[in-house]
Amino acid sequence: MKLIFILLLPVFIFSFGTKAQTIINRDSIIEKMVNQISSERIEQDVRKLVSFHTRHNLSEQNNPEKGIGAAWNWLKAEMEKSIPESNGRLSVEFEKYKVGGEGQRIENEIELRNVVATLKGIDSIDDRIFLISAHFDSRVEENEDSTSFAPGANDDASGVAAILEMIRIMSKQEFSGTIIFMAVSGEEHGLYGATHMAEKAEKENWNIVGMLNNDMIGNSSSSGTLLNDNMKVRVFSEGVPAFETEQMARNRAYTSGENDGKARQLARYVKEVGERYVDQLTVTLIYRNDRFGRGGDHTPFCKKGFTAVRITEFNENYNRTHKTPGIENGIQLGDLPEYVDYEYVRKNTGVNLATLANLASAPYEPKNVGISVQGLSNSSTLSWEEPEKGEKPKGYYVLMRETYQPVWERKIFVSETEITLPYSKDNYFFAVQSVDENGHESLPVFPGRARRR
Ligand SMILES: [Zn+2]
């Protein structure tokens, strides 16, 4: 069996106190795409979204210049510009849904629209879907105020602009799996647009590998504590899943897998791949589903059992988010476009692009990943099976970390489907990912108890 040990993350260096090199292997195609991301285009898109005056969920739908209707029409037209270069693989649709009614935050039932762009994979048997989402509705202090200027430049024109930029760049490239880019409405009134998409995904049985929710990715200065930092971004991920069957709970308890649910695996993947391609940026894992008292569009997906995380700026500014523009005590309030750090949005877009591109190019995950728990020994035996579909992996990475460490510390290449390592299964956590010729890895699969052979 051929083994290559690669020292992966700085954590390893710190915890073991040795000097080690970090090896960065970038796929030139993904690197090129990340380099094409333009902070100027992102700024233009944010300013265009702000120009609709308000994108409040109850604002005008039929005014060509103002209100949420003008915003969704512009978004659709903007996404459609990439159809020719996609050779017909990109399609753009309005996804209409009804919200409101008696006893709800929106009292009278209305119809809202999401704008959804689908970039079909080139492998017809590959049914995997990779989702990315941001919300285009906006609000001010009073959430029922549908007419005041509600720029929503950072919340969440920044996330939507990132998606538009990714559509422009990624539509020219071919991926094995399908990428769905969603600009959703209804977020500020109760995650309606994302909930609608999660219900549709459940009903139509979408094989979602992962969902990245980008909500506020452009503010780099904090209110109150006056921090300034555009070199860190947060990824929130749930620990114990919101959706868990009794069987899943039993497996979690048995394997001590409370830190190794699918959302945590995706979050670590975003960190590893994001930092591989984007310079001057640290992806900070936040081991909670979201911030106190606030929600996001990944949560409806988590609740249905899909793998979803939230990507958000490290520092928030409460003089801006949801504030009605104006001056108070000499401080300019409001979520205005001049306060967005477009270089920071560019880097955060790169994290998303690299993650999606790497995942959608990777082989399917290995099947039936198990760790042998028979007998007592000071080694660990892991086994798995080839993926049932798609390209045959070149091999697999066995990942390893000490149980108290947040991220994987070692990555071992294996060309077989079984390995015995001289490390006690009691002292380490393991996972296995498929990898292709060009180094694109699937999400890691945390082992259950291996079946007896
Ligand atoms: Zn938001």
Side-chain angles (χ1 to χ4, degrees), residues 97 99 112 114 182 184-187 190-198 297 301:
Y97 62 98
V99 292
L112 288 173
N114 298 329
M182 309 192 297
V184 301
S185 54
E187 198 271 350
L191 317 178
Y192 286 118
T195 301
H196 172 77
M197 296 310 296
D297 285 334
F301 284 85

Side-chain angles (χ1 to χ4, degrees), residues 135 137 154-156 187-188 215-216 291 295 310 321-322:
H135 72 89
D137 57 318
N154 184 48
D155 184 14
D156 181 29
E187 198 271 350
E188 301 289 9
D215 195 348
M216 306 201 296
R291 303 146 308 149
R310 174 188 184 124
T321 310
H322 298 180

Side-chain angles (χ1 to χ4, degrees), residues 197-336:
M197 296 310 296
E199 283 167 358
K200 181 184 166 78
E202 183 184 47
K203 204 165 73 195
E204 295 178 2
N205 227 346
W206 290 9
N207 181 13
I208 298 174
V209 173
M211 184 268 200
L212 306 175
N213 170 31
N214 280 262
D215 195 348
M216 306 201 296
I217 58 168
N219 175 72
S220 55
S221 66
S222 72
S223 50
T225 48
L226 305 180
L227 305 175
N228 268 291
D229 187 353
N230 68 4
M231 298 173 71
K232 279 196 296 232
V233 65
R234 292 179 290 179
V235 180
F236 288 84
S237 61
E238 63 179 11
V240 174
F243 176 91
E244 191 178 52
T245 61
E246 273 179 39
Q247 177 69 35
M248 286 163 71
R250 269 199 301 278
N251 286 341
R252 172 169 57 77
Y254 184 77
T255 57
S256 304
E258 60 271 11
N259 256 321
D260 283 271
K262 291 186 163 187
R264 287 278 149 88
Q265 303 302 352
L266 175 58
R268 292 186 187 110
Y269 188 96
V270 171
K271 178 174 176 63
E272 186 189 341
V273 177
E275 290 177 2
R276 185 184 298 165
Y277 286 96
V278 180
D279 294 310
Q280 299 285 22
L281 190 71
T282 300
V283 178
T284 305
L285 301 177
I286 306 288
Y287 277 11
R288 46 169 41 118
N289 181 53
D290 210 329
R291 303 146 308 149
F292 281 112
R294 290 165 303 158
D297 285 334
H298 56 305
T299 301
F301 284 85
C302 293
K303 284 183 176 163
K304 297 221 173 279
F306 295 118
T307 306
V309 298
R310 174 188 184 124
I311 300 178
T312 298
E313 62 216 17
F314 195 83
N315 294 303
E316 293 188 50
N317 197 310
Y318 301 108
N319 293 327
R320 295 170 193 165
T321 310
H322 298 180
K323 282 284 191 277
T324 308
I327 296 187
E328 206 179 276
N329 303 325
I331 295 170
Q332 173 73 58
L333 303 179
D335 190 359
L336 298 163

Side-chain angles (χ1 to χ4, degrees), residues 167-182:
I167 292 172
R168 285 179 198 119
I169 295 167
M170 298 180 85
S171 295
K172 297 174 197 161
Q173 292 296 332
E174 297 183 334
F175 302 94
S176 179
T178 293
I179 303 174
I180 299 183
F181 304 87
M182 309 192 297

